[in-house]
Amino acid sequence: AVDALLRHPMVRRDPARLAAASALRGAKASALLAGGTPTAAGDAVTRGAIRATAEAVHLAPAWRQRPGQVLARLHLLAARNSAEPDVLGRPRAGVDRARFEQLLRFGSGATAAPGVVVAALVHGELMALNAFEPGGELVARAAERIVLIARGVDPPGISVPEAGHAELRRAYTDLLRAYGSGEPAGVAAWVRHCCDAYARGANVV
């Protein structure tokens, strides 16, 4: 679905405009999933989502070499108006550091896993770890978008994976819980859900 979108003539004509529109639409969907009110003027969750999602395409080139710094930047953008300055850009106290470091290595390192699988696991792990707070949901979805760009699934950032998740939001919550259980069936179900969301996010453009 993403490949078909990228072959469309409108993408070749004006990818920058479409990427900007995708970021805005994705941010609103991400804010909705995080309990924000995208239609309300000045909604803090939506403002944070817009800042983080809009930056994704610019942060993607740094993902392979500096994933920790990318996540820190996303948190600073997402939680700037809702977190104390001393926690901005830092994993929360008590996070499983070994698992967090493993996430960084897998998410940015060489692997035979398809890009969509890496993106799904980065999203799921950040949520399961509750790695950043507040604003951790926004960070996880912006990081997922970055991985899809950096891994070559959607290099210009045209599709709207967040909209796919929002369309499937009832399953989204349940399958995140299944992923967090660590059971193979739960992890597999989460990855399949994400692939479905990516396809839907390509079809809404």
Side-chain angles (χ1 to χ4, degrees), residues 130-197:
N130 189 23
F132 294 91
E133 60 179 20
E137 286 190 51
L138 305 181
V139 171
R141 286 185 287 272
E144 175 183 55
R145 176 180 277 257
I146 284 173
V147 174
L148 291 171
I149 295 170
R151 292 277 173 180
V153 178
D154 179 13
I158 302 296
S159 64
V160 193
E162 304 88 350
H165 287 305
E167 186 176 334
L168 300 166
R169 57 184 173 274
R170 184 173 298 179
Y172 176 82
T173 301
D174 291 342
L175 291 174
L176 267 175
R177 192 177 301 114
Y179 178 89
S181 73
E183 294 295 325
V187 174
W190 168 251
V191 172
R192 287 194 298 271
H193 161 84
C194 288
C195 290
D196 191 3

Side-chain angles (χ1 to χ4, degrees), residues 6 13 25 31 35-36 38 41 67 72 75 93 95 100 126 130 135 195:
L6 296 179
R13 284 197 300 268
R25 185 167 185 173
H75 187 234
V95 72
F100 183 72
L126 286 169
N130 189 23
C195 290

Side-chain angles (χ1 to χ4, degrees), residues 36-108:
T37 309
T39 56
D43 180 66
V45 175
T46 303
R47 291 204 310 270
I50 289 172
R51 286 192 298 266
T53 309
E55 194 78 1
V57 73
H58 305 294
L59 290 172
W63 175 255
R64 295 279 189 144
Q65 289 75 38
R66 301 184 298 279
Q69 291 180 27
V70 170
L71 292 177
R73 175 65 178 165
L74 288 176
H75 187 234
L76 189 151
L77 292 166
R80 191 169 71 197
N81 298 121
S82 55
E84 296 298 323
D86 60 340
V87 303
L88 278 175
R90 298 180 182 179
R92 66 172 177 84
V95 72
D96 184 335
R97 296 296 307 196
R99 187 171 169 181
F100 183 72
E101 293 295 329
Q102 183 181 50
L103 159 66
L104 297 181
R105 289 193 299 271
F106 171 75
S108 62

Side-chain angles (χ1 to χ4, degrees), residues 3 18 20 39 142 155 171 184 199:
D3 287 347
L18 291 174
T39 56

